[in-house]
């Protein structure tokens, strides 16, 4: 069982345009899609589509459209009832896959609601193989929320806690690496039982640049890392040395790199006709977890991650692919140096 936690889920509306976005003009949409979303929700959707057991943990009133969408798709979930409606995010997609996103902030959860949400997650994650902490945080949540939750999961597990993956951005992502409460020994051997650092981080190139700078790596931009997979691997290695178990960094059309304490690999997929990039990174994480659950070697986990990401980019809206829609045999794996 893989449990996903989405503190700030959304109803994702994707509006497909017939041409480039024209600011200040009236344009007619080609199509409109609506799906339950949020990073963790998307990971659960992709896992369930491929036949894996997954449980989504999230806030939301029983009649909220996000929860209704999960029921319709057959995605198991548990939710913390709240009074406010969940947010709606809008993605505008142009031909060729160029995507413009407008994300709402989400409902405010009081301190007691935040604690109730954590307890719901702790109860739901007993016996799970992975817990995925994903997405932005609602207004009022502490920046180190994911690091704190990771520590509590490990404390509750008493030596048998699930592995923890984090896929976020900005301050919550940085705190997963730098949180002062972490007890990691700094040897790069992975997260320790009392640590708030994850077993897996899934940044994009821009987020990797921020994480690497926090880990003491030479400054680089996301564009530079995306254009140079070797540099991306070196940056990810600096993050791993800080105490994270592994880094799966997606590099857009350039593929992805995976760095662990034992190696570094680049995976590339032949170009696909991009329709929408919404949720492609979430699908990549799902592909990695799918392969990991099968006992695949790290390079093959990366292979399935890139195959899933490429398949997602070729589908409309935030549609997630099932494993039979992916082409892992088309993925090329190259071993890289970590430094």
């Amino acid at each position: 069982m893989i449990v996903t936690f989405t503190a700030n889920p959304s109803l994702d509306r994707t509006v497909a345009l017939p041409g480039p976005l024209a600011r200040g003009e009236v344009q007619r949409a080609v199509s409109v899609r609506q799906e339950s979303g949020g990073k963790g929700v998307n990971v659960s959707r992709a896992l369930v589509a491929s036949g894996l057991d997954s449980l989504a943990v999230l806030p939301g009133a029983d009649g909220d459209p996000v929860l209704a969408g999960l029921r319709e798709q057959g995605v198991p979930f548990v939710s913390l009832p709240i009074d406010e409606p969940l947010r709606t995010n809008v993605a505008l997609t142009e031909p060729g896959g160029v995507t413009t996103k407008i994300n709402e902030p989400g409902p405010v959860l009081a301190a007691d609601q935040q604690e109730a949400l954590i307890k719901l997650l702790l109860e739901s994650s007993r016996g799970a193989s992975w817990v995925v902490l994903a997405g932005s945080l609602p207004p009022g949540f502490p920046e180190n929320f994911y690091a704190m939750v990771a520590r509590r999961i490990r404390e509750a597990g008493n030596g048998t806690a699930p592995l923890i993956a984090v896929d976020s951005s900005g301050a919550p992502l940085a705190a997963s690496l730098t949180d002062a409460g972490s007890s990691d020994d700094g040897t790069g051997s992975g997260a320790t039982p009392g640590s708030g650092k994850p077993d897996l981080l899934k940044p994009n190139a821009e987020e990797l640049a921020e994480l690497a700078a926090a880990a003491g790596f030479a400054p680089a931009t996301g564009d530079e890392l995306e254009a140079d997979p070797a540099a991306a691997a070196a940056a990810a290695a600096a993050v791993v040395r800080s105490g994270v178990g592994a880094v799966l960094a997606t590099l857009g059309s350039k593929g992805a790199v995976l760095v662990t304490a034992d190696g570094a690999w680049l995976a590339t997929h032949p170009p696909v006709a991009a329709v929408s990039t919404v949720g492609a990174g979430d699908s990549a994480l799902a592909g990695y977890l799918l392969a990991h659950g099968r006992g695949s070697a790290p390079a093959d986990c990366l292979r399935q991650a890139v195959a899933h990401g490429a398949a997602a980019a070729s589908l409309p809206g935030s549609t997630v692919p099932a494993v039979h829609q992916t082409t892992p045999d088309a993925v090329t794996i190259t071993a890289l140096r970590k430094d």
Side-chain angles (χ1 to χ4, degrees):
M1 169 72 74
I2 296 174
V3 174
T4 67
F5 178 75
T6 309
N8 204 15
S10 60
L11 186 66
D12 287 349
R13 291 177 57 83
T14 303
V15 180
L17 301 176
L21 175 65
R23 294 184 60 194
E25 301 293 333
V26 175
Q27 291 178 274
R28 298 188 182 278
V30 174
S31 64
V32 178
R33 298 179 62 91
Q34 182 168 287
E35 289 143 331
S36 299
K39 284 184 172 296
V41 167
N42 290 341
V43 171
S44 278
R45 290 172 53 219
L47 291 172
V48 170
S50 294
L52 265 72
D53 290 334
S54 183
L55 178 69
V57 180
L58 67 163
D62 186 63
D64 194 279
V66 174
L67 303 190
L70 291 178
R71 291 191 189 95
E72 291 174 2
Q73 296 180 51
V75 178
F77 69 89
V78 292
S79 61
L80 175 73
I82 61 174
D83 294 330
E84 292 186 66
L86 297 172
R87 62 184 179 148
T88 297
N89 293 340
V90 177
L92 306 175
T93 62
E94 305 171 34
V98 175
T99 302
T100 302
K101 295 193 68 178
I102 303 171
N103 291 349
E104 295 181 4
V108 175
L109 301 186
D112 61 332
Q113 292 176 304
Q114 296 178 29
E115 178 61 22
L117 194 56
I118 294 171
K119 289 181 178 178
L120 182 61
L121 173 62
L122 294 178
E123 294 168 2
S124 302
S125 59
R126 292 173 184 161
S129 57
W130 282 90
V131 170
V132 179
L133 308 175
S136 63
L137 296 175
F141 274 53
E143 292 180 350
N144 68 341
F145 184 80
Y146 286 146
M148 178 265 292
V149 169
R151 287 198 305 277
R152 290 187 59 175
I153 290 172
R154 291 186 175 119
E155 290 165 359
N158 195 26
T160 60
L163 297 171
I164 296 172
V166 173
D167 182 5
S168 188
S169 59
L173 179 64
S176 296
L177 178 66
T178 62
D179 180 60
S182 171
S183 62
D184 183 79
D185 59 12
T187 63
S189 58
T192 59
S195 172
K197 295 182 181 180
D199 298 287
L200 177 69
L201 272 177
K202 209 291 306 163
N204 60 27
E206 181 178 349
E207 294 157 354
L208 176 60
E210 296 174 359
L211 287 170
F217 186 73
T221 67
D223 288 344
E224 289 170 340
L225 295 184
E226 189 167 303
D228 186 351
V239 177
V240 169
R241 286 194 296 271
S242 75
V244 172
V247 174
L248 170 64
T250 50
L251 307 177
S253 62
K254 301 297 179 65
V257 297
L258 174 67
V259 178
T260 71
D262 299 319
W265 302 267
L266 165 69
T268 57
H269 190 284
V272 299
V275 176
S276 171
T277 59
V278 178
D282 307 331
S283 291
L285 178 54
Y288 178 96
L289 298 174
L290 171 68
H292 189 275
R294 292 175 171 174
S296 299
D300 288 322
C301 292
L302 175 63
R303 182 189 303 277
Q304 189 61 55
V306 169
H308 254 76
S314 68
L315 296 173
S318 57
T319 306
V320 294
V323 66
H324 71 268
Q325 295 174 290
T326 70
T327 52
D329 290 344
V331 176
T332 300
I333 300 291
T334 304
L336 299 173
R337 291 176 56 89
K338 294 192 297 177
D339 47 28

